[in-house]
Amino acid sequence: MNATTPLTALQVMQDSPMIPVIVLNDVAHAVPLARAFLAGGIRMLEVTLRTPQALACIEAIAREVPEAVVGAGTVRSKADAKAAANAGARFAVSPGYTGAVGQACRDASLPLLPGVASSSDIMMATEDGFTELKFFPAVQAGGVGMLKAWSGPFFDVKFCPTGGVTLQNAPNFLALSNVVCVGGSWLVPANVQELGDWGRVTRLAMEIQILRK
């Protein structure tokens, strides 16, 4: 897979047991962090659009670490989707779903993992053709029990639970037939970026690989 290979949402989900949710406040941290994840076996990197530096960080990773597959998280609008694509993002993740965001991602050729928290959300997303979804906030919205309940009526939908997922409870989610991967921020502990402790990120990423089904 190279930087020009088109992706599907399912391919993004299948690459690793986990998609890290990354908040970057300093562009200087983007490239070493991406390389640390690669060293630990994780290529799909969700950089959230929660800081003024996020787009520049996506651009830096796309340019300097082409072996990684950088995506944009917290995509909430058409403008977010367009800006993410222009920065070099190769997939998008949203906290919720609207038809406008879905169409904007299609227009920008960005595979989208739309966020859903209810059966109505799932029906809206699948009606627009999205069958790989982010369950968010997973634990707060019903967790494993909710996903088990959805496996009947939404038998053709695959999920990436995110929100409250930890190394301890991730195996419970990954054991479900309708879960492909999980998302979480624990691979980037609060002080790692300030300390430049990239080796810790690599070690945590390697731990995740044992969670493979």
Side-chain angles (χ1 to χ4, degrees), residues 109-177:
S109 299
L110 284 178
L112 172 66
L113 293 179
V116 298
S118 70
S119 296
S120 295
D121 292 345
I122 296 172
M123 290 174 67
M124 285 190 288
T126 56
E127 188 172 88
D128 286 348
F130 296 96
T131 55
E132 288 80 35
L133 309 176
K134 168 184 174 177
F135 177 30
F136 177 80
V139 170
Q140 296 86 342
V144 168
M146 184 67 81
L147 286 162
K148 287 180 177 178
W150 281 341
S151 65
F154 303 115
F155 60 90
D156 55 341
V157 178
K158 299 297 183 183
F159 295 94
C160 172
T162 306
V165 180
T166 66
L167 183 61
Q168 289 69 41
N169 65 21
N172 299 327
F173 285 101
L174 291 167
L176 302 176
S177 61

Side-chain angles (χ1 to χ4, degrees), residues 92-111:
V93 184
S94 60
Y97 179 72
T98 66
V101 167
Q103 188 58 52
C105 287
R106 284 202 169 102
D107 292 343
S109 299
L110 284 178

